[in-house]
Structures are given as C-alpha cells and as structure tokens.
Amino acid sequence: MVFNTGAALLDAIVLAVVSNDKEGTYGYKITQDVRGVLDVSESTLYPVLRRLQKDDCLEVYDMAYAGRNRRYYKLTEKGTAQLNLYKVEWKNYSSKISKMFEGGI
C-alpha cells in the first residue's frame, strides 16, 4: 500500500479483527487477518496488541492448545466503544477523501 498506516488506523483494524470473534482470538490469526488488508509484520502488530491491552481495550488470557499456551485477545467494553468511535470517524474521513478524489469537496 502506498499510503502510510498510522497508529490509529492500525488500532482500528486490530480491534475490528478481534471483534469478529466474541470469545477472543489469538495473535497469529490476528496477524493473518490484518495481512488480508495491509502488508504488516508480526513485529508491528504485537506492540499494537500490547498498547491496546494497556489502554484497557483488550483483555488477554492464555489457553492450552496442542500442548502449548496460546495467548488470546478479547475486546473489552472500552475496546468496543473505541471501535465504534473509529467506525464513525473512518466513515466521515473516507467519505471526505472519496469526494475529493471524485472532484468535489
């Protein structure tokens, strides 16, 4: 992608991916899902996950899987509210950009 992906957009995309599974999802799957729309590395996404956890947008828990612990991420109430705010802001922002590309304001 030729456009710069800022921290807020990454946060919004990660929250959207995590919101798709009410029971939570694990880091590798989040990475794969995000890579479906953006070219990002795991080393970029794990700090995003830690920041969202620190900001109380994600809760984290470990569960055994195939003899190992797998870390799961789940949206909190604050995370859901933040995602809803991002959705509103994105709709407004993308609408303005689309209008600009189409020759209007």
Side-chain angles (χ1 to χ4, degrees), residues 35-95:
R35 284 181 178 165
V37 293
L38 293 176
D39 185 24
V40 294
S41 67
E42 287 182 33
S43 63
T44 299
L45 287 178
Y46 280 98
V48 172
L49 290 168
R50 283 192 296 274
R51 180 176 64 248
L52 289 170
Q53 178 188 2
K54 181 179 173 240
D55 292 344
D56 296 323
C57 291
L58 295 176
E59 73 178 58
V60 179
Y61 63 95
D62 292 338
M63 188 182 310
Y65 177 81
R68 300 179 57 196
N69 271 345
R70 182 183 271 178
R71 180 151 290 176
Y72 284 80
Y73 300 86
K74 182 177 176 181
L75 243 57
T76 62
E77 284 186 35
K78 184 177 179 182
T80 300
Q82 186 65 45
L83 176 58
N84 290 334
L85 175 65
Y86 282 138
K87 286 178 180 180
V88 169
E89 290 293 322
W90 178 256
K91 188 173 183 176
N92 292 334
Y93 176 77
S94 63
S95 173

Side-chain angles (χ1 to χ4, degrees), residues 4-57:
N4 186 12
T5 306
L9 183 56
L10 274 174
D11 287 359
I13 291 169
V14 168
L15 289 173
V17 166
V18 173
S19 75
N20 290 331
D21 191 337
K22 300 300 177 204
E23 298 303 313
T25 188
Y26 54 97
Y28 180 75
K29 183 166 184 336
I30 295 168
T31 301
Q32 296 308 306
D33 290 349
V34 171
R35 284 181 178 165
V37 293
L38 293 176
D39 185 24
V40 294
S41 67
E42 287 182 33
S43 63
T44 299
L45 287 178
Y46 280 98
V48 172
L49 290 168
R50 283 192 296 274
R51 180 176 64 248
L52 289 170
Q53 178 188 2
K54 181 179 173 240
D55 292 344
D56 296 323
C57 291

